[in-house]
Amino acid sequence: MSNRTFTMIKPDAMEKGYAGQIIDRFEKEGFKLVALKLTKLSPEKAGEFYAIHKERPFYNDLVAYMSRGPIIAAILEKENAVTSFRELIGATNPVNAAEGTIRKEFAVSIEENAVHGSDSDENAAIEGDFFFNAFERVI
Ligand code: CDP
Ligand code: MG
């Protein structure tokens, strides 16, 4: 079981000025920042990141949404990080997200759902490597 996961604060949350509050939730829940970056995805990069969803009907909208403004990317560390972080962010659709989760508080729709969280240790490593080189993270 890996102790790292990868997250993004998505454009909708950045536009509304929720970045600080969301990072505060990460830290209050015991996640340590081990890499952090403010950037903006090109449509090509957003498409590459979400390539697993290429055949899904929401793919084109997802790529447009994720490339429309700045995001914050981060690697977070905590015991059982992937599972623990998915619990903290809540269900993909905020309507189904539990009380107290980040998506319940900050998401507006199934698409514009404020934050990303890796779904497995393998994907956490792949996604972290997508954004951060060795000099940009705490070892
Ligand atoms: O982010 P999560 O792992 O919870 O969900 P996903 O199924 O991996 O989908 C990735 C992202 O695509 C979601 O977080 C939404 O932003 C978007 N999505 C969407 O726009 N419409 C859907 N029906 C499902 C997902
Ligand atoms: Mg996912």
Side-chain angles (χ1 to χ4, degrees):
M1 192 67 67
S2 164
N3 60 356
R4 290 189 176 191
T5 191
F6 171 80
T7 186
M8 290 184 283
I9 302 174
K10 296 182 176 184
D12 59 309
M14 297 296 294
E15 286 157 10
K16 294 189 190 112
Y18 292 153
Q21 290 176 73
I22 290 174
I23 292 171
D24 189 51
R25 292 291 306 275
F26 299 165
E27 293 187 312
K28 285 211 166 81
E29 215 54 44
F31 290 90
K32 297 249 180 293
L33 295 165
V34 298
L36 189 71
K37 179 179 288 186
L38 172 66
T39 187
K40 185 169 182 282
L41 290 168
S42 63
E44 292 71 29
K45 277 285 186 192
E48 197 186 327
F49 185 87
Y50 282 110
I52 192 165
H53 294 308
K54 217 179 173 70
E55 305 307 324
R56 307 286 286 278
F58 59 81
Y59 178 74
N60 287 342
D61 285 346
L62 175 60
V63 169
Y65 155 55
M66 287 301 297
S67 59
R68 80 177 185 211
I71 58 131
I72 285 176
I75 298 173
L76 301 175
E77 189 167 87
K78 186 186 175 178
E79 194 176 315
N80 198 13
V82 166
T83 308
S84 173
F85 191 73
R86 293 289 302 201
E87 278 169 21
L88 173 62
I89 67 175
T92 307
N93 187 343
V95 168
N96 302 322
E99 282 304 325
T101 60
I102 290 175
R103 281 170 167 169
K104 184 73 175 185
E105 186 173 355
F106 297 107
V108 289
S109 69
I110 191 167
E111 178 180 73
E112 302 203 7
N113 59 8
V115 284
H116 169 81
S118 303
D119 62 6
S120 66
D121 290 347
E122 188 192 5
N123 284 335
I126 292 168
E127 292 169 0
D129 290 347
F130 187 89
F131 281 89
F132 299 102
N133 67 36
F135 296 110
E136 295 172 317
R137 60 178 90 189
V138 179
I139 295 171

